[in-house]
Amino acid sequence: MVVEQALERIGRLDPGLSAFVEVWPERALAHRADHRLPLSGVPFAVKGLFGIRSYAARRLMAAGAVPVGSTSVPGPGTYWQTWGLGAHGPTRNPWRADRTPGGSSAGSAVAVAAGMVPLATGSDGAGSVRIPAAWCGVFGLKTTNGLLPSPDRTGLASAGVLTRSAADARAYLRCVLDGYETVRVPLPLRARWSPDLGYAETDPEVESVARSAVDRLASAGVVRVDRRPFTLLDPKDAWQSTRRGEPATAADVRAENDRRLAGLFADTELLLTPATPNRPHGHDGPGELYSTALTWAFNLSGHPAASIPAGFTSDGCPVGLQLVTARGTDISLLEMAVAAERHTISSTATAR
């Protein structure tokens, strides 16, 4: 029944949103549920045409989940690929159709935000899970680099997931991580806030929305914020040279940022930033803006990072709050996100 409902919603909504490249109704309806499995009969979507081959998709299917289709990723023509191209044209943000949903896990974020599926796989090499999660008002997690198998030889990309809420992502981690053990995180969390990491040009309203979410977390006793500035070196050139296969060029920046992050997490549990410096751009592309400015530092460093909904700008665009923790603390990060989501905004509202 749940699979049928997902397919009905995809058929009704996707012509207007273009979140999917392919939908697999025959395959999904032919699935025979095994109720002994933890995700028996749960529909999910996979990122891109080849996402069904990913390690995460295979683990989800082994747990009984049912793939219903592949979601859109960027087509040709935009260098900074914060958009998507589905079967019905450009993928549209479910909160504002004139804006992009972000990318490159564009369709995955839209499919979750619009309630077409409860879970979708993603991959994140520069912010490709966190940016669309932020701009579509859902939860997005980038796992610690190297924790799960990835075909990216540069080491920048890691597996990720998009769900309606952080709590919904627990099932994903339980299935893809060997030896998953529940972690309890005592509150308040020692946290550090940075609106720009020392180099990004953050939209003042985006910063204000994210900062207000941090203030709510502090007032609710979820975090105790150290207000000292925290900065990193701008990772743009280092990320680009690493992507080109020239890691030696990036060594100095990576080493210095690793040193600063190690110092931070020696006495702090959580780094908080806006997920993006900007709000969703139009379908003509981002222009000179780097939507990745606040995310790709953690692809270089390998730290796990997530985006939770923080609120909306005055023109109706969702804003994400980025949470970053020490390497290998993915389960703790998820539990921190669960605690934080209760006090930011409701993450259960469906966009359409």
Side-chain angles (χ1 to χ4, degrees):
M1 178 64 73
V2 179
V3 170
E4 287 90 334
Q5 291 173 346
L7 291 170
E8 184 279 329
R9 195 165 177 85
I10 293 169
R12 179 161 46 87
L13 296 179
D14 199 52
L17 293 172
S18 199
F20 283 85
V21 179
E22 294 181 352
V23 182
W24 309 317
E26 293 183 3
R27 172 178 179 167
L29 292 172
H31 176 82
R32 294 292 177 262
D34 182 345
H35 298 293
R36 297 169 296 178
L37 299 175
L39 294 183
S40 179
V42 175
F44 76 101
V46 298
K47 176 182 177 178
L49 285 172
F50 305 108
I52 196 68
R53 303 176 187 173
S54 70
Y55 174 83
R58 297 197 306 270
R59 293 294 294 260
L60 291 169
M61 288 187 289
V66 183
V68 297
S70 60
T71 58
S72 65
V73 295
T78 300
Y79 184 59
W80 292 110
Q81 300 185 346
T82 49
W83 64 299
L85 185 64
H88 302 284
T91 307
R92 288 170 277 282
N93 190 305
W95 294 99
R96 282 199 50 165
D98 64 330
R99 304 291 177 94
T100 175
S104 62
S105 304
S108 288
V110 173
V112 169
M116 290 189 269
V117 290
L119 180 153
T121 65
S123 58
D124 190 314
S128 295
V129 165
R130 290 162 287 162
I131 293 168
W135 287 355
C136 291
V138 297
F139 174 75
L141 172 69
K142 177 197 90 70
T143 55
T144 298
N145 291 43
L147 181 67
L148 299 172
S150 170
D152 181 12
R153 295 181 179 179
T154 68
L156 292 170
S158 58
V161 66
L162 296 110
T163 54
R164 297 279 294 285
S165 71
D168 291 341
R170 284 173 172 147
Y172 170 86
L173 274 189
R174 286 193 185 102
C175 291
V176 301
L177 289 184
D178 292 326
Y180 178 99
E181 293 184 6
T182 301
V183 172
R184 181 178 176 273
V185 292
L187 304 179
L189 300 161
R190 293 167 294 165
R192 199 82 162 264
W193 157 254
S194 179
D196 55 14
L197 292 176
Y199 57 82
E201 296 181 7
T202 305
D203 178 319
E205 192 173 359
V206 169
E207 177 182 338
S208 177
V209 172
R211 185 190 298 271
S212 293
V214 173
D215 290 343
R216 291 195 295 276
L217 295 180
S219 296
V222 177
V223 298
R224 185 173 64 249
V225 182
D226 182 339
R227 299 290 178 177
R228 290 176 296 164
F230 177 73
T231 65
L232 294 173
L233 300 181
D234 188 342
K236 180 181 73 171
D237 292 342
W239 187 94
Q240 291 175 334
S241 62
T242 302
R243 193 66 177 172
R244 289 194 302 267
E246 303 167 0
T249 310
D252 290 346
V253 170
R254 295 185 79 164
E256 176 60 20
N257 281 351
D258 283 352
R259 184 190 68 79
R260 295 186 189 188
L261 287 164
L264 173 74
F265 289 121
D267 62 5
T268 301
E269 295 163 294
L270 185 62
L271 173 62
L272 299 167
T273 80
T276 65
N278 54 326
R279 63 192 80 192
H281 55 74
H283 294 286
D284 54 347
E288 299 300 315
L289 293 173
Y290 285 89
S291 305
T292 54
L294 294 170
T295 51
W296 53 8
F298 307 109
N299 296 91
L300 274 172
S301 70
H303 290 72
S307 177
I308 64 172
F312 293 83
T313 57
S314 58
D315 58 350
C317 293
V319 172
L321 178 67
Q322 180 172 227
L323 290 70
V324 186
T325 59
R327 294 186 190 94
T329 59
D330 300 64
I331 299 172
S332 294
L333 170 58
L334 181 57
E335 294 308 315
M336 292 178 196
V338 170
E341 271 190 344
R342 300 189 189 111
H343 302 282
T344 51
I345 66 165
S346 170
S347 59
T348 58
T350 302
R352 283 174 74 94

